[in-house]
Amino acid sequence: MRIWGIGFDLSSQPNPDGNLYIESALKVCSGQFNIGLFRQGNLYPYFLSICFSILFIAESLLGIIKTPSDFLILNYIASPSNLLLYTRVISAILGTGVVYLTYLAGKRIFQPSVGIIASFFVAFSYIHVQQSHYEKEDMLTGLLIMVAFLFCIAIIQMHKPSLRNFVLCGIFIGLAIASKYLAWVGIFMFLVACLFHKSSAIPRKYIFLGLFSVPVGFLIAEPFALLNFGKFSADISSMSGVRELGLDRHGMPRGFFYITEHLKNGVGFPLEIIAIAAAVYIFFKCYRTGMILLVYPVSLIIFLSFYKAHAGYYLVAAVPFIAILASWFLNEIIKKINEKRLKNATMILCVYFIITPSFINCIRLNYLLSRPSTGEIAKEWIEENIQSNSGILVEGVYGNIIAGGPALSRNIKSLRNELEGVQAKGGNGNLWKKRIEFIQQNKELKVYDIIKTTNLTASLIGEKDPAYIISKPVYNYDNGYRVTTAAEREEMQDLLNKRYRLIKNISPYPLMDDTPYLYLMDFNKLRMVELMVPSKEKVIQGASINIYERQKNGI
């Protein structure tokens, strides 16, 4: 489930966050340990740098490469898809690891059958399968939280407190926070575990040392948060100004929207209902062992209720807790059946019924990801029909990445402009220098004078006046996720229609506002993916891409 479709859109490098992480990991590999960006945890790029080092050693032993420069050129400059695919495989492995840890947690807190069923639920959870395909930090965060939870279980169940469990629990929570800041709610999980410990008296120093271990674990993974505290605090403060992002809630409170939309579609409606029923049952029965499962998901949803950005993937680390809750409650109901065969048959039927909606969505997504993308098709068309070194203004850029669009090779002029921008911000620009060197040595490559912008505007078109324009809005203008206003967009389109002519349109099928890997996936549109149509070649993933050419007689 996590490997099928993992090679989606490799030539277009669609995920801006993923490429940011890969380039940050390459910085670490080159000796630049201070990544310099603290808007999200940095443990993941540090972790990737270790994985890249292992790949470097393997390729060196096999005689594929000889120097670090060879590694960079082979795996990221000449073929960016190499590291992209390698990083996605790592995510798939981490996601599979979470499935196993879910089994262990269910087994230890309840019994083996609960662990088996819970791991089955996680294995086919749509949101977990989806995020296991991406070069993002969520799978690492989820794995670290589950390790911390195993220590929470040990704290609850041991008759004699062990300092080791308290300290290690705190360290792994700290590591998870360094991977994704949202994991800070794991601290509540630790405190509740201390409250529910079987022994009536836990030495206070154990609780204090456990809490002290959280920042220790965080600083082990993110030492420059302390060493470069000014930048760290500035980046954290800037996150409070994040605009409202996500699917249109139609006025619905964020927390309620997570429950009725993101969670329902992320794990499947039947699983969500059973988990909610289990939570109600546990609450009224004051079942302490079960209550520990509620802490992380409930704390997370409460916090997200006040966070302006909202997306289903924020819930990924909570999926194993929800799965264990549902598995335990289902087991409690079905064990009342006395006849063994009937009991087993009922359990199997119920489990398959529960995972079916999520499983079908997984199939749709993986099939869609295995199909060609609009970005790949556009790249091929441009290289066949537009002359090398032509000036192209490209919309839909995050930093260095043309997200979801055609990842065209830049010419030396374009790369030098980017290099100046990187150096102006304090970077050494070594990656850009290598790219320039590679283009100089491979003059037969199709390259273009790329001008990048997040969103097209009339003033930008008038200022740059390029030969070609690629219009590919990353944002869905109907759901509130926008940077420019609708009026500004209309003004831009009017100027575009006057000065340019549309020479190529590449649209996905089914028609989607956002690419399935840009996290704002509308689940209703995902369900439009047809699995049984005779002409499956018409299914294309990605966002609509329009290619315009400047008219000679344009105004």
Side-chain angles (χ1 to χ4, degrees):
M1 294 303 292
R2 286 156 177 76
I3 290 294
W4 180 20
I6 207 166
F8 70 93
D9 214 0
L10 286 173
S11 65
S12 291
Q13 300 174 259
N15 183 349
D17 285 347
N19 283 274
L20 174 64
Y21 284 134
I22 289 173
E23 292 188 2
S24 296
L26 289 171
K27 286 182 184 178
V28 176
C29 290
S30 70
Q32 187 180 338
F33 298 107
N34 184 2
I35 296 171
L37 183 67
F38 299 102
R39 287 182 63 84
Q40 45 199 351
N42 282 331
L43 176 59
Y44 184 59
Y46 288 129
F47 171 74
L48 285 184
S49 69
I50 296 171
C51 297
F52 291 174
S53 299
I54 294 171
L55 179 62
F56 170 75
I57 293 170
E59 289 182 343
S60 298
L61 292 174
L62 292 171
I64 299 172
I65 59 172
K66 293 181 180 179
T67 66
S69 180
D70 293 342
F71 176 86
L72 182 63
I73 291 171
L74 173 66
N75 294 297
Y76 198 62
I77 294 178
S79 300
S81 59
N82 289 1
L83 282 186
L84 204 59
L85 183 59
Y86 180 62
T87 306
R88 290 177 185 173
V89 170
I90 291 168
S91 290
I93 293 170
L94 291 172
T96 305
V98 173
V99 173
Y100 176 68
L101 291 179
T102 302
Y103 159 72
L104 286 183
K107 173 185 175 182
R108 291 181 186 178
I109 201 168
F110 295 116
Q111 61 191 65
S113 60
V114 171
I116 290 171
I117 297 167
S119 64
F120 194 70
F121 288 155
V122 175
F124 296 100
S125 161
Y126 170 79
I127 197 67
H128 210 273
V129 169
Q130 180 199 50
Q131 296 302 312
S132 293
H133 283 76
Y134 302 153
E135 54 281 12
K136 276 179 68 28
E137 75 285 354
D138 294 282
M139 289 303 110
L140 178 61
T141 307
L143 186 137
L144 293 169
I145 283 293
M146 286 308 296
V147 174
F149 181 61
L150 289 171
F151 284 111
C152 284
I153 295 171
I155 290 171
I156 292 173
Q157 294 181 339
M158 290 188 69
H159 292 281
K160 184 178 180 181
S162 168
L163 179 60
R164 170 181 172 273
N165 291 328
F166 288 81
V167 170
L168 288 176
C169 183
I171 286 175
F172 276 98
I173 290 172
L175 292 173
I177 297 170
S179 177
K180 195 178 189 77
Y181 294 148
L182 284 177
W184 74 271
V185 298
I187 295 171
F188 296 117
M189 183 175 69
F190 168 77
L191 292 174
V192 171
C194 294
L195 180 66
F196 288 170
H197 177 63
K198 286 185 177 180
S199 172
S200 57
I202 298 177
R204 290 186 178 179
K205 68 176 183 180
Y206 282 19
I207 300 175
F208 172 78
L209 288 172
L211 288 173
F212 179 75
S213 297
V214 174
V216 170
F218 177 79
L219 290 174
I220 288 172
E222 186 72 290
F224 291 98
L226 183 61
L227 298 174
N228 193 3
F229 185 74
K231 172 66 173 171
F232 171 73
S233 58
D235 282 355
I236 295 297
S237 299
S238 69
M239 293 174 66
S240 62
V242 66
R243 66 183 68 225
E244 179 76 33
L245 302 176
L247 294 172
D248 192 348
R249 296 183 287 113
H250 300 291
M252 192 183 299
R254 291 188 195 91
F256 191 63
F257 190 76
Y258 270 100
I259 295 171
T260 59
E261 181 70 17
H262 291 313
L263 187 58
K264 178 190 75 174
N265 291 296
V267 299
F269 185 63
L271 182 62
E272 180 189 26
I273 290 298
I274 292 175
I276 291 173
V280 172
Y281 179 79
I282 285 170
F283 180 77
F284 281 104
K285 289 288 184 179
C286 295
Y287 184 33
R288 288 191 168 193
T289 305
M291 280 184 182
I292 189 67
L293 287 163
L294 294 172
V295 178
Y296 190 88
V298 170
S299 301
L300 183 61
I301 290 176
I302 290 173
F303 173 74
L304 290 173
S305 299
F306 298 95
Y307 190 56
K308 288 183 180 179
H310 64 88
Y313 66 91
Y314 290 153
L315 297 173
V316 166
V319 169
F321 299 92
I322 295 166
I324 295 171
L325 268 172
S327 175
W328 166 77
F329 191 63
L330 184 65
N331 193 68
E332 287 293 295
I333 294 172
I334 292 178
K335 75 179 184 181
K336 298 182 183 298
I337 300 174
N338 294 322
E339 207 281 314
K340 188 175 180 180
R341 286 186 180 179
L342 179 60
K343 181 190 297 184
N344 291 340
T346 303
M347 177 64 78
I348 291 170
L349 288 173
C350 286
V351 168
Y352 275 100
F353 170 77
I354 290 166
I355 63 105
T356 294
S358 185
F359 174 74
I360 292 173
N361 278 342
C362 289
I363 296 296
R364 285 195 178 104
L365 177 78
N366 287 356
Y367 172 62
L368 186 65
L369 292 180
S370 68
R371 298 293 302 151
S373 75
T374 54
E376 290 172 318
I377 295 169
K379 182 177 187 292
E380 183 178 338
W381 187 90
I382 289 168
E383 289 176 344
E384 289 177 357
N385 295 277
I386 296 180
Q387 186 176 355
S388 188
N389 288 302
S390 297
I392 305 178
L393 175 59
V394 183
E395 179 182 38
V397 177
Y398 291 105
N400 183 42
I401 306 304
I402 304 171
L408 304 169
S409 297
R410 283 94 78 199
N411 64 7
I412 292 175
K413 175 187 173 184
S414 178
L415 288 169
R416 282 178 177 160
N417 288 336
E418 290 180 17
L419 175 61
E420 290 175 5
V422 170
Q423 291 175 332
K425 294 179 181 178
N428 56 33
N430 287 336
L431 183 57
W432 278 260
K433 292 173 185 176
K434 283 290 181 185
R435 283 172 172 150
I436 291 171
E437 181 184 328
F438 179 74
I439 295 298
Q440 288 173 333
Q441 293 173 355
N442 296 271
K443 295 182 179 179
E444 75 283 356
L445 292 174
K446 275 288 187 82
V447 293
Y448 298 93
D449 184 12
I450 302 295
I451 307 165
K452 298 176 179 178
T453 181
T454 304
N455 286 82
L456 286 174
T457 62
S459 59
L460 184 63
I461 293 172
E463 176 191 346
K464 300 297 183 182
D465 194 32
Y468 297 91
I469 291 177
I470 296 177
S471 172
K472 193 215 72 64
V474 173
Y475 304 100
N476 178 347
Y477 285 85
D478 295 325
N479 68 10
Y481 194 154
R482 61 185 64 169
V483 171
T484 57
T485 65
E488 289 171 328
R489 190 74 185 177
E490 186 178 351
E491 180 189 10
M492 180 279 300
Q493 194 64 49
D494 287 342
L495 181 61
L496 191 61
N497 292 337
K498 289 176 181 177
R499 292 193 180 182
Y500 291 81
R501 67 184 182 94
L502 180 65
I503 58 174
K504 184 66 176 178
N505 166 260
I506 304 167
S507 295
Y509 180 82
L511 187 63
M512 298 182 183
D513 297 311
D514 295 281
T515 52
Y517 37 76
L518 282 178
Y519 321 130
L520 290 181
M521 185 61 175
D522 187 324
F523 296 97
N524 294 319
K525 290 178 180 171
L526 175 67
R527 295 185 185 106
M528 291 165 61
V529 176
E530 300 175 73
L531 297 174
M532 305 302 291
V533 292
S535 54
K536 291 186 178 181
E537 66 276 1
K538 70 179 183 178
V539 177
I540 300 172
Q541 50 143 318
S544 294
I545 296 175
N546 291 325
I547 303 171
Y548 292 86
E549 182 181 39
R550 186 177 59 217
Q551 300 185 67
K552 292 180 181 179
N553 60 345
I555 297 173

